[in-house]
Amino acid sequence: MMAIVNKSTKAAAVNPLKMSQPLGASYAFLGMNGCMPVMHGSQGCTSFGLVLLVRHFREAIPLQTTAMNEVTSILGGMDNVEKAILNIRERARPDLIAICSTGLTETKGDDLNGYLDLIRQRHPELEDTAVVYVSTPDYNDAFQDGWAKAVLALIKALVPPSQVKHPRQVNLLAGCHLTPADIEELREIVESFGLAPVVLPDLSGSLDGHMPDAFSPTTLGGTTLAQMRSMGASVATLVAGEQMRACADELERITGVPNLWFDRLTGLAANDRLLAALAQLSGRDVPHKYRRQRSQLQDAMLDAHFFFGGKKIALAAEPDLLYALGMWLAEMGCEIVTAISSTQSPLLERLPVAEVLLGDLEDLERGAQGCDLMVTHSHGRQAAARLGIAFHRAGLPLFDRLGAGHQLSVGYRGTRGLVFEIGNLLLAHPHPVQPGDWALPAASLHALGQMA
């Protein structure tokens, strides 16, 4: 069964699910080491995004603005961009200044690429600072698209071809649906096969909630420029998420490094594919600890399937996260009743649901009538309370709980944690048992019987 993807025709979004492209691009730039992300727009655009990220991570977030006003928006922002770049270089000394546009400057039609060429000519002292620009009007697309466009811009600007190969080095392109904890887990899995991953962007280094030894005005941790410039020497690129497909294709075009693409890394079968690929790539057997973790996940699934079977679920998230959680919940025996997303993706048609709606959290609340569980970010909490159903927080922002950056949902270990976390929510909100509720789907039974 293929889902039909429809777009909401309401005149306005009520309790929006969708977040803007510039915010997604800025979030990606935060995964670069020594970087200062800049929004080319008004101060309000940047302040809104800054508050959202600070509330989610509870960390200081480096994010600057070109501070456009009414006059500069009409006459053009060349002077503002020039002043911002020079001030940032002088005060923060970043390795990378990463600029994304906003709806304000895109509507005016500012030629940022032309501006940057002129600024480079005027100021040769900027030679030691990398500057990357990406066009991300917030009246088009959504958060996930902004992230992908930012990563694509980084690859085009900073990754050269390489004549040498490091036989144990691999690239890992991480989508925005992966938390810092997810990325750290994937790094550990890859390294356990004797491989050295170069992660792009690497939020696990910059937004993992560590205490730095000294204050830094820029991002601290993340992918370095040297690591980016070495990506062409890798033997393969692991691609996590549909949103990273265009980035992986461009990286392969520039460097010739082949791709291994994974649509999700949550679930038993999904991680079997990952570990089998790493075993083949490295020439090593799957480490014992992952065989043990797989066995633990199998046991957790058997323990929990009585409480998942037949449960009705309402989901709302960015496409890659929606797909990862939706497919896993279906494998656990749940019925996806309502699925809401923010932007188009080929994955949406593959979800086990009749319709995927590009809509808002009001649409989610309407569709969640009679459901057992709602899954979305923190803005859905009131809707779940009104309906009296269990609520699992996933995605960004999570501002009413601690440890958002440490949520883990990938690998055998992360999937096992999800089994228990959501299983306990369903246990706390029981519903009357119906015939067939406890029947585990054949696909799950087959997966349980397979060995890595």
Side-chain angles (χ1 to χ4, degrees):
M1 179 183 72
M2 290 186 63
I4 297 173
V5 181
N6 290 321
K7 187 173 183 179
S8 175
T9 57
K10 294 191 300 187
V14 181
N15 195 8
L17 168 70
K18 178 179 174 179
M19 295 183 295
S20 72
Q21 278 199 104
L23 183 58
S26 299
Y27 186 41
F29 291 142
L30 290 171
M32 296 295 295
N33 184 58
C35 177
M36 180 60 76
V38 180
M39 284 192 186
H40 180 41
S42 69
Q43 287 180 306
C45 295
T46 305
S47 297
F48 183 83
L50 183 63
V51 169
L52 187 144
L53 291 172
V54 168
R55 294 180 73 194
H56 180 81
F57 287 105
R58 303 180 187 271
E59 302 290 342
I61 302 293
L63 186 58
Q64 291 292 334
T65 177
T66 55
M68 300 288 286
N69 58 33
E70 296 90 336
V71 174
T72 56
S73 297
I74 294 170
L75 299 180
M78 167 71 175
D79 289 343
N80 289 54
V81 173
E82 184 175 26
K83 290 176 182 176
I85 290 176
L86 294 177
N87 286 337
I88 289 169
R89 181 188 178 277
E90 178 65 27
R91 297 176 182 178
R93 297 287 177 177
D95 297 326
L96 169 66
I97 298 174
I99 305 172
C100 56
S101 63
T102 62
L104 174 69
T105 52
E106 287 282 354
T107 303
K108 165 61 174 64
D110 275 359
D111 179 12
L112 259 293
N113 288 313
Y115 291 172
L116 294 176
D117 287 343
L118 287 173
I119 292 168
R120 287 278 191 196
Q121 292 173 19
R122 291 183 184 180
H123 302 281
E125 69 272 19
L126 292 173
E127 185 66 28
D128 62 351
T129 305
V131 180
V132 172
Y133 162 68
V134 59
S135 173
T136 51
D138 45 16
Y139 48 75
N140 280 340
D141 300 326
F143 185 85
Q144 177 175 300
D145 303 299
W147 171 285
K149 290 178 182 178
V151 177
L152 183 60
L154 289 169
I155 290 171
K156 287 181 175 179
L158 301 175
V159 179
S162 176
Q163 300 301 318
V164 299
K165 289 294 179 183
H166 301 313
R168 309 304 294 179
Q169 179 176 297
V170 296
N171 303 320
L172 172 58
L173 296 183
C176 66
H177 60 302
L178 300 178
T179 67
D182 290 334
I183 295 172
E184 186 64 31
E185 181 77 1
L186 292 177
R187 174 189 283 105
E188 184 178 327
I189 291 172
V190 173
E191 288 177 343
S192 69
F193 284 86
L195 301 171
V198 176
V199 183
L200 179 70
D202 188 4
L203 297 176
S204 71
S206 57
L207 289 173
D208 61 337
H210 64 281
M211 293 293 291
D213 295 330
F215 170 76
S216 172
T218 65
T219 56
L220 186 62
T223 313
T224 65
L225 296 184
Q227 287 175 322
M228 282 213 65
R229 291 168 182 145
S230 75
M231 293 180 80
S234 297
V235 294
T237 299
L238 309 176
V239 189
E242 174 65 34
Q243 63 191 281
M244 293 287 98
R245 188 182 288 273
C247 302
D249 290 343
E250 179 65 16
L251 184 60
E252 183 173 13
R253 185 192 68 79
I254 294 171
T255 66
V257 178
N259 301 327
L260 296 173
W261 181 69
F262 302 91
D263 55 5
R264 60 188 173 106
L265 295 169
T266 300
L268 186 67
N271 283 285
D272 286 351
R273 290 191 293 272
L274 172 64
L275 267 69
L278 290 172
Q280 183 175 6
L281 191 62
S282 66
R284 298 188 180 185
D285 292 335
V286 175
H288 174 74
K289 73 173 181 178
Y290 295 115
R291 295 179 180 272
R292 183 75 173 178
Q293 286 181 12
R294 188 182 192 278
S295 178
Q296 291 171 344
L297 174 57
Q298 286 179 301
D299 185 72
M301 291 171 67
L302 286 170
D303 292 344
H305 84 272
F306 294 104
F307 311 106
F308 279 80
K311 293 295 192 297
K312 294 179 170 58
I313 312 295
L315 293 170
E318 296 284 324
D320 277 357
L321 182 60
L322 183 73
Y323 182 79
L325 294 177
M327 294 299 290
W328 169 71
L329 285 165
E331 288 173 353
M332 290 296 296
C334 297
E335 177 187 354
I336 310 301
V337 174
T338 297
I340 311 293
S341 197
S342 57
T343 186
Q344 287 282 1
S345 170
L347 293 181
L348 298 180
E349 295 181 353
R350 294 165 51 185
L351 281 164
V353 64
E355 179 192 46
V356 177
L357 182 65
L358 303 183
D360 54 32
L361 295 180
E362 182 184 59
D363 299 317
L364 177 68
E365 184 172 356
R366 288 175 179 170
Q369 300 281 344
C371 286
D372 300 287
L373 175 70
M374 178 184 290
V375 180
T376 189
H377 56 56
S378 288
H379 287 298
R381 67 197 188 284
Q382 298 101 329
R386 284 191 290 268
L387 295 173
I389 62 177
F391 181 51
H392 175 70
R393 293 162 176 81
L396 189 152
L398 303 185
F399 50 77
D400 59 338
R401 291 292 185 273
L402 296 173
H406 296 279
Q407 273 199 340
L408 181 63
S409 63
V410 303
Y412 295 132
R413 196 162 63 95
T415 306
R416 183 192 65 199
L418 269 184
V419 169
F420 292 140
E421 186 173 356
I422 294 183
N424 286 331
L425 285 173
L426 295 173
L427 270 170
H429 294 77
H431 79 296
V433 178
Q434 302 295 329
D437 274 2
W438 291 353
L440 193 65
S444 294
L445 288 171
H446 177 73
L448 286 169
Q450 300 298 309
M451 294 302 294

